[in-house]
Amino acid sequence: MRISAKHLGDLALDSCERCFQIKVQLSFKLPYQVFPGIFSSIDSYSKKITDEYYNRHGIVPPWLGIQGRPVKVPSIQQFQWFDEETGVLLTGVPDSIIQKDDGSYAIIDYKTARYTNGQDELLPLYRVQLNGYALIAEHNGMSPVSDLILVYYEPFTGIKTSNVGYYIAENGFTMLFESKTFTLEREGVHSLMRRAVEIYNSPPLEHKEGCKERQRILDFVGVL
């Protein structure tokens, strides 16, 4: 069974196991889960800024709160781990990996979003996601992983109109981003991996009462 660390994190939320089952069995993505390409572009830009800051100053950006150097993030074909105990192939690639000055590694994931109560509710998902990345990293020679860092990049819109000229160019305008950084704790994910296998191998489960995803699936493709 193949599953991404991010998708595994769905089981840390109070989500519908039937919808989870459909997605892992059919590799099915609901239409509202496909994010606009602009967010991928901003994430890619964030990685470039981290690398370029290090190239220019010899340190990683100070808002990350660590000292070290960026290392090349492997491709998704290289960055995966098969757990013989559960039979799960765990996949997924973090946004950045930093080798700290003490030789340990930090896994970093960027979120282009404002940190809100809604985002706080997703922290269990992100915690599983980054812990999954840590497991993959440690089984691919990047050990130990000492830090899991979640960085929210929030658009900064509180500029004064009198300073608007600083942000305007001939072909458009620039936007600043502010960072909010959270350090997440290491925790095991094997119990979720075992649960994912159980759900994957089960007969069709019942949808959770009031499941909104079920209706979206019906509306989109007419599949239960």
Side-chain angles (χ1 to χ4, degrees):
M1 172 186 172
R2 179 190 181 104
I3 189 170
S4 70
K6 184 174 183 180
H7 195 179
L8 183 66
D10 286 344
L11 291 180
L13 304 175
D14 186 23
S15 54
C16 174
E17 291 190 346
R18 174 56 179 154
C19 289
F20 178 87
Q21 185 181 48
I22 291 172
K23 288 182 280 188
V24 295
Q25 289 181 343
L26 304 179
S27 299
F28 184 73
K29 292 184 179 181
L30 297 176
Y32 68 93
Q33 292 176 311
V34 180
F35 292 100
I38 184 64
F39 292 107
S40 296
S41 298
I42 294 174
D43 283 348
S44 176
Y45 183 72
S46 302
K47 302 171 198 175
K48 291 178 182 177
I49 288 293
T50 300
D51 292 343
E52 184 60 26
Y53 192 96
Y54 178 81
N55 292 337
R56 292 192 181 192
H57 303 286
I59 60 173
V60 297
W63 58 82
L64 296 181
I66 57 176
Q67 295 181 342
R69 64 178 183 86
V71 299
K72 184 179 170 118
V73 177
S75 68
I76 192 168
Q77 290 79 18
Q78 298 170 314
F79 199 77
Q80 51 185 243
W81 169 58
F82 180 73
D83 178 35
E84 294 184 358
E85 177 190 344
T86 60
V88 170
L89 178 65
L90 193 61
T91 67
V93 179
D95 289 327
S96 291
I97 301 175
I98 305 293
Q99 184 172 26
K100 297 170 60 180
D101 290 346
D102 64 5
S104 66
Y105 292 83
I107 303 292
I108 301 173
D109 208 63
Y110 305 121
K111 304 298 179 186
T112 306
R114 294 190 185 278
Y115 181 76
T116 62
N117 290 337
Q119 291 291 343
D120 187 66
E121 293 173 0
L122 292 175
L123 280 178
L125 184 157
Y126 298 149
R127 199 175 293 119
V128 171
Q129 180 184 1
L130 268 68
N131 272 281
Y133 292 158
L135 267 181
I136 298 171
E138 290 180 334
H139 282 86
N140 282 272
M142 300 180 189
S143 181
V145 173
S146 58
D147 294 86
L148 305 177
I149 300 174
L150 185 64
V151 183
Y152 286 90
Y153 284 127
E154 302 182 351
F156 177 67
T157 56
I159 64 171
K160 296 180 180 179
T161 54
S162 58
N163 295 331
V164 71
Y166 291 110
Y167 307 101
I168 293 179
E170 290 184 1
N171 60 343
F173 61 89
T174 61
M175 175 176 283
L176 299 178
F177 287 82
E178 293 182 305
S179 66
K180 287 188 178 178
T181 302
F182 296 85
T183 300
L184 305 180
E185 295 181 356
R186 288 295 305 266
E187 61 182 32
V189 298
H190 279 84
S191 61
L192 292 179
M193 292 167 67
R194 287 190 289 269
R195 181 59 185 150
V197 172
E198 291 174 2
I199 294 173
Y200 180 83
N201 292 323
S202 294
L205 301 172
E206 293 294 327
H207 281 277
K208 179 182 176 182
E209 184 177 353
C211 173
K212 295 179 180 178
E213 288 194 335
R214 176 182 182 274
Q215 190 56 51
R216 289 188 175 101
I217 293 174
L218 286 170
D219 291 343
F220 187 58
V221 292
V223 177
L224 280 173

